[in-house]
DNA sequence: ACAAAAGTGTTCGAACTACACCCATGG
DNA sequence: CCATGGGTGTAGTTCGAACACTTTTGT
């Protein structure tokens, strides 16, 4: 393993959807006093780490995701870089950095990625660290400037979601129209008419109906669909529409 | 002046519009052999520089713009961070860095900003460096990985232009509908119907008609308009429309 | 009078909105 | 048989596309 770059890191805002609400994966940051066992720090942060000397940003972000999930090929998008002079200057953050003994600089710049995964099927974990999903509407106290990073990620995700079909990354491979609608509603924070939503998405050629239905539901089982990235790429058009 | 950070820089893709086409401002990179006067390097780069220790990214980008133009408050937007391991590894780039004597690292990461200015009114210059506007369709040879950075900036600019009224930043304060249309046509690379374009933009409440017309044109003088950022911010709505 | 760009209106089809009832399944 | 969410159609309106002639100014 090669040397880390002391002043550059990558942080990942990992979004998941549990067929009801949008969640973010956070890592617990806990520090006890070595003598008194008093809790000095107990809050949460994004998953992130410094980049290594022979690594570019995408690789570093993929490495972080791989360590959490074991998976490659997760959807990842660089969304913003954060370089505020005082971004790690709160006393708690300084204390934490001091205890890391890894030769970090005290002026660290970070590149933000957001990641979309279907959190009904994958379990994420990190050795020696506690890891947990939080609904974006009920966040705990966040360390460093991670609250700001998370809000920026959300904003960029919303913009992207309005313009490109990336929502599918948050769903299981096979999903129903209602699941898709709940996803859009919960990310965009508005409710949508069921019939009109259906009509709209059914026109999309990249939404492939399957000869298969939901099982084990206590109501009329819904038809399942696939998202075909392939068809999307081949049929997408550019839009011109500066919004009023 | 405080110390530079040796491995982090900001590069600015400065876009201008000359009422005909989209241009980019580039800085000449020229290096002569000290003995033979042979030209070792002669190409062009984006305007950029390392960040200083007590500077965040936005400040660094504004500083670079200020040095070129003397102006504050120019439209600036961070669009992407570039950290490829080999981004400065071409022999020419190594040669250039060696001659700078400023203690740069050889693994430099850069944060890209694009900037929009009305280049009919402002003249940009840099002491001891040659600076020039190039149409984006006729770029010279670019140093470092600046070709890649520029293309990414263009792509992000197009996306932004489709979704938000930022084109006005490239026009004089008072402009005609035709100028606006030519701007959209040249950035998006498609021609638009004159009557429909007019109809569309005339609905926008933030486009303020003035009691004033063009002067000294050898045809029917056009009405002038203002863009009101204020009205825009107060009347904008969110759109939901993942494109097919 | 001519050249050059400004300004203007209508028709057609597509897409968006709002809205209410029956269906299939498990318990 | 009941509760739960799945699935469907229509009418009214708004929005985008296509398209040609007249006006104002400078030379």
């Amino acid at each position: 393993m090669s040397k880390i770059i002391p002043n550059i890191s990558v942080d990942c805002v990992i979004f998941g959807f549990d067929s009801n609400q949008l969640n973010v994966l956070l890592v617990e940051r806990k520090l006890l006093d070595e003598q008194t066992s008093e809790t000095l720090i107990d809050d949460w942060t994004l998953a992130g780490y410094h980049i290594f000397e022979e690594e570019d940003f995408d690789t570093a972000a993929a490495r972080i995701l791989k360590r959490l999930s074991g998976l490659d090929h997760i959807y990842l998008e660089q969304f913003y870089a954060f370089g505020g002079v005082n971004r790690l200057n709160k006393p708690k953050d300084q204390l934490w950095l001091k205890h890391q003994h890894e030769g970090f600089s005290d002026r660290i710049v970070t590149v933000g990625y957001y990641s979309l995964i279907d959190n009904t099927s994958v379990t994420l974990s990190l050795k020696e660290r506690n890891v947990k999903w939080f609904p974006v509407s009920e966040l705990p106290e966040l360390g460093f400037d991670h609250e700001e990073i998370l809000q920026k990620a959300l904003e960029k995700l919303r913009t992207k979601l309005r313009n490109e079909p990336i929502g599918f990354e948050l769903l299981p491979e096979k999903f129903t129209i209602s699941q898709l609608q709940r996803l859009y509603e919960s990310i965009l924070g508005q409710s949508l008419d069921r019939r009109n939503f259906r009509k709209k998405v059914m026109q999309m050629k990249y939404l492939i109906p399957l000869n298969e239905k939901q099982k084990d539901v206590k109501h009329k089982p819904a038809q399942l669909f696939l998202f075909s990235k392939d068809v999307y790429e081949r049929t997408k058009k550019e839009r011109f529409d500066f919004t009023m």
Side-chain angles (χ1 to χ4, degrees), chain A residues 44-219:
Chain A
W44 298 80
T45 65
L46 299 171
Y49 201 69
H50 284 256
I51 66 172
F52 290 103
E53 271 182 356
E54 81 298 345
E55 226 182 13
D56 62 31
F57 299 139
D58 291 1
T59 314
R63 165 174 56 79
I64 290 167
L65 262 272
K66 172 104 186 188
R67 245 181 86 205
L68 271 159
S69 68
L71 298 177
D72 300 299
H73 311 303
I74 290 179
Y75 181 91
L76 269 171
E77 172 98 7
Q78 188 198 302
F79 67 93
Y80 208 72
F82 300 84
V85 178
N86 301 317
R87 52 180 296 269
L88 312 179
N89 272 3
K90 284 180 292 183
K92 274 210 290 197
D93 300 334
Q94 288 289 312
L95 183 62
W96 176 264
L97 291 175
K98 214 166 293 165
H99 279 76
Q100 293 306 103
H101 307 298
E102 306 201 45
F104 300 154
S105 153
D106 61 350
R107 167 79 197 276
I108 301 174
V109 139
T110 198
V111 177
Y113 279 74
Y114 62 81
S115 163
L116 305 180
I117 82 178
D118 159 22
N119 80 1
T120 58
S121 55
V122 189
T123 347
L124 302 187
S125 68
L126 210 50
K127 56 173 185 262
E128 303 177 14
R129 295 293 289 277
N130 191 11
V131 154
K132 201 177 146 193
W133 288 104
F134 288 87
V136 293
S137 52
E138 295 165 43
L139 294 173
E141 191 191 339
L142 296 185
F144 306 122
D145 58 346
H146 288 188
E147 174 77 27
E148 179 192 349
I149 296 179
L150 205 161
Q151 292 307 327
K152 187 84 173 183
L154 248 179
E155 185 191 303
K156 295 278 191 173
L157 171 64
R158 290 202 178 102
T159 305
K160 187 101 176 170
L161 190 69
R162 284 178 212 282
N163 293 300
E164 283 173 61
I166 54 164
F168 306 97
E169 303 286 346
L170 288 160
L171 293 175
E173 197 190 3
K174 300 171 180 183
F175 54 87
T176 68
I177 302 289
S178 296
Q179 285 178 294
L180 186 62
Q181 181 175 350
R182 273 195 293 278
L183 188 153
Y184 273 84
E185 289 181 331
S186 66
I187 299 183
L188 300 182
Q190 62 190 263
S191 60
L192 305 165
D193 180 86
R194 216 157 51 93
R195 273 173 292 188
N196 294 336
F197 183 84
R198 201 169 271 276
K199 206 188 306 170
K200 180 166 188 166
V201 300
M202 297 290 261
Q203 296 175 16
M204 300 172 175
K205 299 195 187 66
Y206 52 80
L207 196 65
I208 317 287
L210 298 173
N211 287 326
E212 203 175 332
K213 303 201 170 212
Q214 276 182 313
K215 292 244 163 88
D216 302 318
V217 286
K218 61 179 184 190
H219 53 75

Side-chain angles (χ1 to χ4, degrees), chain A residues 5-6 21-22 31 51 65 159 167 171 173 185 225 229 244:
Chain A
I5 295 184
Q21 57 190 343
L22 187 66
L31 184 65
I51 66 172
L65 262 272
T159 305
L171 293 175
E173 197 190 3
E185 289 181 331
F225 291 81
K229 185 162 187 160
M244 287 185 290

